[in-house]
Amino acid sequence: MPPQPQADSIMKFIDEFRDADMARGVLGQIRRQSRRQVRLMEFCGGHTVTIMRHGIRQLLPDTIEMLSGPGCPVCVTANADLDKAIALAANPEIIITSFGDMLKVPGSRSSLQQARADGGDVRIVYSTLDALQVARDNPDRSVVFIGIGFETTAPTIAASIKKAEEEGIGNYHILSLHKLCPPVIKALLDSGEVKLDGLICPGHVSAVIGSRPWEFAAHDYGIACVVTGFEPLDVLLSVDMLVNQIEQGKPTVEIAYRRGVTPDGNLTAQNLMHAVFEPSPAAWRGMGTVPGSGLTLREEYERFDAERVFDIDPGPTVEHKGCICGDILRGVKTPPDCKLFRTACTPERPVGPCMVSSEGSCASYYHYGSI
Ligand code: SF4
C-alpha cells in the first residue's frame, strides 16, 4: 500500500505536499470510504487553481462532485464598484494606486488599464505601504488605493490608514471594496440555489479569522467544513476529511492546514481590521447586495474614505453581454457553459473578470481544463 500522508503539521517541505505516492494513498482512502453521492464546494479561487492545475477533479471518484465558489476577490467585485474606481481615475487631481490584477478587469464601459491609456494616473503597487509612499511623494495630489480583497488583505489596509493617521498624511484615501467571506457563504446557503454537502473553507482568509466563523455552516446548515491549504495534498486531505464527516453523518469544522490556521485566527490582525473598518452591505457579482459582507471605514476615519471625500459619478452600470461570471461564482454553472469561453473570451482579451484574475474559474479552466 502506498504510504499514507502525515498530518500537515508534520510535513515540512513543498515536495512532501506534492508527493505522488502520498496522493495515491489519500485517493485510495477517499475511494474506499466514499459511498454517498456528494457535492463539495471549494470557496477559494486559490483552491480552484490547485484542483485544476493538478487534475484533482478527474482523479476523484464519481461519487464526488466539485463546484467552484465565490472566493476570487477580483471576480466578485461588481461592475458598479469597478466603475467608481474607473471614474476616480478620470480625475486629474487623483493618482490611483492598485494591485496589478485589477487593471485589466472590465467595468461597464472601460477598465483601469484603459483609463490609464486615456491619460489617467494609474499606478501598480505591491503593498499598501507603497501606496502610502506615493502619497508622501505627491503631497499636492490625492492618492486613492483601490481596496479589493477579503479578510486577508483588509488588515494591511487598516495598518496603512493607521500609519497615515500617525504621520498626518492627509492626501491618502481608500476606495473600500473589501468583502467578508462567511456572510456570503451564508447568503449562498440561504438562497437554496446550490445544494452542498461539504465546503473546503479558504486557507488564507481563515489564517486571519480562524476556523470558528465557519461553525454556523456545520451547526445550522449541516454542511461538513474543512479549512485547508493550497498544495495538492492539502486539497486531497480536505476532501478525505469532508467525505469522512459526511459518511459518518457528523458535520463539523476541521482544520487540515494547521501550519497556518488556528480556531481563533490572528487576533492582532482582526483587532486592527475592526478598529478601522465596520461591517456594511456589499454588492457581489452574481449575488447582489449581501448584508454585513463588506467593510466601510469607521466614522473616525471617514477623511480617508474616497467615497465620502470625492464626488464619484460612475454612470449607469452595464453587465457584459453573454458573460455568466455571476452564475459561475454562485456554483450553478461552469466556464465551459459560457458561449464566449475560449472564443470571444480569452486571457488576452477577457470579457469578464473570471478570465482576468489568475484565481478566476474561467482562467483556471482555460489554462488547465485539458489536464
Ligand atoms: Fe465571463 Fe469570459 Fe468566463 Fe464567459 S468565459 S463567464 S465571458 S469571463
Side-chain angles (χ1 to χ4, degrees), residues 320-326 328 334-346 349-356 361-363:
H320 311 300
K321 208 165 169 226
C323 175
I324 59 165
C325 276
I328 291 168
T334 62
D337 294 328
C338 177
K339 289 194 177 81
L340 308 183
F341 180 68
R342 282 187 186 278
T343 56
C345 184
T346 63
R349 298 182 63 189
V351 175
C354 299
M355 189 61 93
V356 179
S361 285
C362 298

Side-chain angles (χ1 to χ4, degrees), residues 102 109 113 221 265 279 321 342 358:
M102 282 306 297
R109 287 162 293 278
Q113 184 169 265
Y221 296 85
K321 208 165 169 226
R342 282 187 186 278
S358 57

Side-chain angles (χ1 to χ4, degrees), residues 29-80:
Q29 197 163 291
I30 292 170
R31 289 200 190 99
R32 280 193 295 281
Q33 70 168 333
S34 178
R35 293 191 168 74
R36 287 179 47 189
Q37 194 69 38
V38 297
R39 190 181 266 172
L40 312 180
M41 173 179 274
E42 82 273 4
F43 173 87
C44 179
H47 286 144
T48 304
V49 172
T50 302
I51 289 166
M52 295 302 296
R53 178 184 282 157
H54 296 280
I56 289 176
R57 265 199 181 89
Q58 297 88 320
L59 293 171
L60 293 172
D62 293 341
T63 43
I64 299 174
E65 182 186 358
M66 300 289 295
L67 298 177
S68 301
C72 159
V74 170
C75 307
V76 294
T77 302
N79 273 11

Side-chain angles (χ1 to χ4, degrees), residues 3 27 33 43 56 90 92 96 131 138 219 249 264 353 365:
L27 275 164
Q33 70 168 333
F43 173 87
I56 289 176
I96 296 289
N138 295 273
H219 297 163
D264 292 322
Y365 271 75

Side-chain angles (χ1 to χ4, degrees), residues 275-356:
V276 173
F277 292 106
E278 59 188 350
S280 58
W284 293 66
R285 185 182 302 277
M287 299 283 300
T289 298
V290 179
S293 70
L295 287 174
T296 298
L297 285 159
R298 290 186 181 277
E299 205 176 325
E300 57 263 45
Y301 296 102
E302 66 181 5
R303 65 190 181 283
F304 296 104
D305 187 342
E307 289 209 64
R308 283 183 256 192
V309 170
F310 302 104
D311 276 336
I312 308 176
D313 179 12
T317 308
V318 180
E319 297 303 330
H320 311 300
K321 208 165 169 226
C323 175
I324 59 165
C325 276
D327 294 339
I328 291 168
L329 291 163
R330 292 198 311 282
V332 297
K333 291 199 173 154
T334 62
D337 294 328
C338 177
K339 289 194 177 81
L340 308 183
F341 180 68
R342 282 187 186 278
T343 56
C345 184
T346 63
E348 289 72 40
R349 298 182 63 189
V351 175
C354 299
M355 189 61 93
V356 179

Side-chain angles (χ1 to χ4, degrees), residues 207-228:
V208 173
I209 65 173
S211 62
R212 291 195 204 286
W214 304 107
E215 286 172 356
F216 77 92
H219 297 163
D220 302 344
Y221 296 85
I223 309 282
C225 294
V226 175
V227 181
T228 200

